[in-house]
Amino acid sequence: MKDFSVLMTSCSPRKNGLIHCLKDNGDGVNVKVYCTNCREEELPSPNVCDGAYLVPRNDAPDYIDVLLHLCNMLEVDILMPRLSSELEVISRNKHRFAQIGVKVAVTDYDGLVIANDKNQLYSLYGDLMPMQMVGSSSKDVEEFAKRYPQFCCKLPHSSGAAGFAIVDDKLCDKVNLFHAYGYKHYISKDHLCRIVENQKLDYILQELVDGYDYTVSLIADHGVITHMVGYVGYEMEFSCIMCGEVKPNDEAFKIATRIVKDLRLDGNIGIDFILRHDGSVVLLEVNPRMNASLPFVAKAGCNMPYLQCKRLLGYDIRSEGQEIQVGLKMRKNYVSEYFF
């Protein structure tokens, strides 16, 4: 297999594991990884990647032009978007990257806009998800709270922990939980009402389901899953698994297969669930992109970022990465990095 180069967008030091998936690929292939971010302080260090570049925000009018320029200058083979908010604009411009010979690791636009929007996803798969509604006013919040005393709120187009909070009038006052490791963010119902009214936000209000976070990471080939790994998060921090275990779940796998087929999803996909204590699952959201826990999946035997690159370059990957170490556990520790 020939060496190749990747431009990975929206990178930060917290996502260095995804870079290592490409560089420590097991095939001995030399993969050059270039990274971008709109915040200079968030760029990975030179110790990790082959080049880090400051770019505009992904909603800036010249964002695509800057990425095209970098791809040309660096002779990039594959563009790998990493942030949910940039997927749609990059998908709409896949043809421009194709014109300069760059493969884009993002699914086709029609399925993407549904998977990437929590409201559209609920309209199709509400029977698999917790009860939810869009809260456009304080009255909406009050009415939802009467029906579902335990609920959370989230933004319709955000990813990870951005914009997420659990609405709890008691826990929101426990100052020892502010930024506490392993705890989610709590706000009061009155605070949520003020946010909705004053900021004119359409917040998603969702019934809170008790259980562990559970993720299915997969590679899809235009609606057909070629690789799939499920794992539970026993401890979470900012939506990232800090302590987890590779653990298949047939119900989650069945739901993932249905969604991928329905939306003809393609490439790296992450589907999030709540795993109840009885082993059943509830669908939360679909992330049509690489998710942060893929280094864990790679250690379990399936290096999904690298395999997706091989697939885009025309290689048959169906027989690779199929021997999964079920029961593999992971605990993430913070480490310091020193560089000039």
Side-chain angles (χ1 to χ4, degrees):
M1 181 173 172
K2 294 182 179 180
D3 299 341
F4 62 93
S5 59
V6 171
L7 181 64
M8 190 180 295
T9 65
S10 304
C11 286
S12 71
R14 293 181 297 279
K15 303 301 184 290
N16 284 351
L18 294 174
I19 299 172
H20 291 306
C21 284
L22 298 177
K23 287 193 163 291
D24 305 331
N25 52 69
D27 282 347
V29 174
N30 179 28
V31 182
K32 289 186 176 180
V33 181
Y34 304 103
C35 300
T36 73
N37 200 297
C38 65
R39 298 173 61 189
E40 189 170 8
E41 66 274 16
E42 285 287 293
L43 286 169
S45 74
N47 297 341
V48 178
C49 61
D50 295 279
Y53 299 89
L54 187 65
V55 299
R57 285 169 49 101
N58 59 51
D59 56 358
D62 59 342
Y63 182 62
I64 295 298
D65 290 334
V66 171
L67 293 185
L68 285 164
H69 170 72
L70 286 174
C71 286
N72 254 325
M73 180 181 73
L74 301 171
E75 298 182 346
V76 166
D77 296 298
I78 299 171
L79 175 68
M80 301 191 81
R82 211 207 54 75
L83 204 62
S84 294
S85 60
E86 66 185 341
L87 296 178
E88 293 179 24
V89 66
I90 289 178
S91 183
R92 287 197 304 268
N93 286 276
K94 283 173 72 172
H95 64 285
R96 297 181 64 189
F97 291 95
Q99 288 170 357
I100 61 172
V102 177
K103 309 285 187 182
V104 180
V106 66
T107 192
D108 293 334
Y109 186 78
D110 290 345
L112 171 64
V113 293
I114 296 173
N116 214 30
D117 187 298
K118 295 177 178 63
N119 286 323
Q120 290 198 57
L121 192 74
Y122 184 74
S123 69
L124 289 179
Y125 302 106
D127 59 314
L128 305 173
M129 303 174 69
M131 183 61 67
Q132 75 175 46
M133 65 169 284
V134 176
S136 302
S137 66
S138 57
K139 181 181 178 182
D140 292 337
V141 175
E142 294 285 357
E143 290 181 354
F144 194 85
K146 290 177 183 178
R147 296 170 59 194
Y148 304 98
Q150 292 186 309
F151 72 105
C152 59
C153 58
K154 56 180 72 174
L155 293 169
H157 301 286
S158 67
S159 61
F164 175 86
I166 294 175
V167 183
D168 192 303
D169 288 342
K170 294 182 179 179
L171 291 179
C172 72
D173 288 335
K174 289 187 175 291
V175 294
N176 61 309
L177 297 183
F178 293 2
H179 302 290
Y181 175 87
Y183 284 90
K184 300 185 187 299
H185 184 65
Y186 295 96
I187 63 173
S188 68
K189 183 181 65 178
D190 288 344
H191 188 185
L192 177 58
C193 288
R194 291 199 305 273
I195 292 172
V196 172
E197 291 287 349
N198 297 336
Q199 299 186 24
K200 306 301 180 184
L201 285 176
D202 287 339
Y203 244 119
I204 292 177
L205 313 177
Q206 188 177 76
E207 175 190 8
L208 190 65
V209 179
D210 186 39
Y212 291 118
D213 289 80
Y214 185 84
T215 299
V216 174
S217 290
L218 59 92
I219 301 176
D221 184 356
H222 296 95
V224 178
I225 296 175
T226 61
H227 299 73
M228 182 160 53
V229 178
Y231 44 97
V232 57
Y234 297 119
E235 294 178 11
M236 306 291 293
E237 185 74 5
F238 295 109
S239 80
C240 292
I241 294 177
M242 304 303 290
C243 178
E245 179 182 359
V246 175
K247 193 172 185 179
N249 183 285
D250 289 341
E251 184 183 3
F253 286 0
K254 184 178 179 180
I255 292 171
T257 301
R258 171 185 164 187
I259 293 172
V260 167
K261 181 180 179 181
D262 289 348
L263 304 183
R264 283 188 57 80
L265 297 179
D266 189 71
N268 292 124
I269 310 292
I271 303 181
D272 292 338
F273 300 85
I274 288 295
L275 176 65
R276 289 192 176 113
H277 299 293
D278 64 1
S280 63
V281 295
V282 179
L283 175 66
L284 291 183
E285 62 185 29
V286 176
N287 295 302
R289 55 171 172 80
M290 293 185 295
N291 57 303
S293 297
L294 287 187
F296 180 29
V297 176
K299 288 294 184 182
C302 187
N303 189 343
M304 291 189 177
Y306 178 68
L307 288 175
Q308 169 63 0
C309 286
K310 288 186 71 171
R311 174 176 166 263
L312 287 172
L313 294 172
Y315 293 89
D316 187 347
I317 64 169
R318 288 174 294 180
S319 63
E320 300 184 51
Q322 300 292 356
E323 296 184 10
I324 307 303
Q325 299 183 62
V326 174
L328 177 70
K329 296 180 176 64
M330 175 270 284
R331 183 176 294 280
K332 188 179 293 185
N333 298 306
Y334 292 104
V335 296
S336 297
E337 181 184 12
Y338 305 95
F339 58 93
F340 291 101

